Amino acid sequence: MKLFVRDLTVIDASYLCTDRGMVGESWILDVVMSGELNEMSMVLDFSRVKKQIKQLVDQYVDHRLIVPAKSPAIHTAATKTGYATVDLLREDKNIHLHCPEQAFCFIDAETVTIESVTEHVYQVLKDNLPENVQGLEVALRHEVIQGAFYHYSHGLKKHDGNCQRIAHGHRSPIELIVNGERNAELEKQWAKRWQDIYLGSEEDVCSVSELNLSECAKSVSDETHYGFRYTAPQGEFELAIARSETEMLTTDTTVELLASYIAEKVKPSLSAADCLDVVAYEGVGKGAMATL
């Protein structure tokens, strides 16, 4: 007997890539389990499986920075108890972090792909299900988006949950509606602007020389990189990332403020009489709207 659960949860995370840098992603998780019926004539109760699997995914994968541990461009080291440095070496666009270990998800692969993350999720889940569950299939997929979208990474230090981690992200649609009609050209322009972007807040900026990074970060400077540092409930977070792959905001980077920011940037390109609605998403099926 097989039990399937589609749209069980969404993994919102970022990953490191030698070509693209830090990439925000959103994957929808589907699972299929097979096994003998239990005393309740079930393989596993739906409410229980959703809660149990989602808890495992949230604990080990979601809202983390996914790091391809076998990549020759990746260097990692433990520092003080519970902390680690992670470095992605890619010419003049190196990325350097020093964070609590729970901010990272190390996968046994040279590159991060939907297949390698699927295998990692499978390994996380397979040994944590009831004995009567004999088979497990895991599938990750992207939301089908009709229109423009971007990949962004950020951190929200004031958040109580895992959003406080300095390098997690989303794959998000963008809808720009002018006088009641979507404007595909404006949407494409904004998607290009925020393709694989890190969104930083000015109040978190510091000199890269002040960060507690690894020896691999010696070559970076304030001319090439932004330094970010903050303390949140889960600990101290530090990041150095290329200026060319960052957009700086004067506010926090909640989706509510991102919707307002986009509206403020787009409105001057329109006539004074035009009405602009911005629908900004944070991953799959959730977001905020702003009107100017």
Side-chain angles (χ1 to χ4, degrees):
M1 180 66 66
K2 290 189 175 183
L3 176 74
F4 66 88
V5 184
R6 294 180 181 142
D7 302 312
L8 190 150
T9 191
V10 175
I11 297 173
D12 287 306
S14 292
Y15 67 87
L16 294 179
C17 174
T18 54
D19 294 327
R20 298 171 62 184
M22 185 183 293
V23 184
E25 265 294 3
S26 298
W27 292 294
I28 300 167
L29 174 63
D30 303 324
V31 298
V32 177
M33 289 163 292
S34 59
E36 299 298 326
L37 300 183
N38 60 20
E39 65 278 4
M40 296 183 292
S41 299
M42 300 177 179
V43 176
L44 195 62
D45 180 78
F46 272 107
S47 61
R48 181 181 173 189
V49 70
K50 291 183 71 173
K51 182 178 180 180
Q52 187 171 352
I53 292 179
K54 186 178 187 308
Q55 184 177 29
L56 288 165
V57 172
D58 288 349
Q59 182 177 355
Y60 293 106
V61 185
D62 188 50
H63 281 72
R64 293 186 179 226
L65 179 65
I66 302 174
V67 181
K70 286 188 173 181
S71 169
I74 293 291
H75 295 259
T76 66
T79 57
K80 59 185 179 181
T81 303
Y83 282 75
T85 56
V86 170
D87 305 285
L88 172 63
L89 305 184
R90 48 195 291 264
E91 298 181 352
D92 59 340
K93 296 181 180 180
N94 293 350
I95 297 174
H96 306 281
L97 301 104
H98 184 214
C99 302
E101 292 175 347
Q102 63 185 328
F104 303 118
C105 172
F106 297 97
I107 68 171
D108 189 28
E110 290 190 8
T111 58
V112 176
T113 64
I114 198 167
E115 293 80 14
S116 61
V117 177
T118 298
E119 175 61 22
H120 182 78
V121 173
Y122 172 81
Q123 294 298 329
V124 167
L125 298 179
K126 70 181 182 69
D127 295 326
N128 290 282
L129 295 174
E131 292 181 358
N132 67 306
V133 176
Q134 299 163 352
L136 173 67
E137 300 171 35
V138 176
L140 295 179
R141 56 185 168 85
H142 285 124
E143 175 191 20
V144 177
I145 298 174
Q146 303 297 329
F149 61 90
Y150 45 69
H151 300 255
Y152 75 91
S153 302
H154 67 154
L156 300 172
K157 66 177 179 294
K158 299 170 187 174
H159 196 273
D160 291 334
N162 293 335
C163 290
Q164 67 190 259
R165 294 167 181 168
I166 201 168
H168 75 277
H170 314 274
R171 174 182 181 263
S172 301
I174 177 68
E175 299 175 13
L176 299 176
I177 303 165
V178 181
N179 300 325
E181 295 186 4
R182 287 184 63 177
N183 189 310
E185 186 56 38
L186 284 175
E187 292 172 359
K188 289 178 182 177
Q189 291 174 13
W190 204 264
K192 182 178 180 181
R193 175 170 174 166
W194 276 5
Q195 181 181 5
D196 302 340
I197 198 73
Y198 185 82
L199 300 178
S201 177
E202 285 186 355
E203 69 179 21
D204 301 327
V205 174
C206 68
S207 172
V208 295
S209 64
E210 299 174 20
L211 298 176
N212 298 298
L213 303 176
S214 75
E215 291 296 309
C216 296
K218 279 187 173 181
S219 63
V220 302
S221 70
D222 292 331
E223 293 182 357
T224 61
H225 283 62
Y226 281 115
F228 297 97
R229 179 174 61 192
Y230 59 72
T231 300
Q234 290 185 4
E236 302 167 3
F237 294 85
E238 298 177 295
L239 166 67
I241 189 167
R243 286 175 174 261
S244 61
E245 297 179 332
T246 305
E247 182 153 342
M248 194 70 70
L249 280 70
T250 58
T251 65
D252 288 333
T253 58
T254 64
V255 70
E256 296 91 339
L257 292 175
L258 294 183
S260 296
Y261 178 80
I262 294 170
E264 291 168 1
K265 293 296 182 182
V266 172
K267 181 63 175 177
S269 67
L270 307 176
S271 70
D274 287 332
C275 177
L276 172 66
D277 294 298
V278 175
V279 183
Y281 287 80
E282 186 182 66
V284 179
K286 63 185 189 297
M289 296 179 285
T291 298
L292 284 180

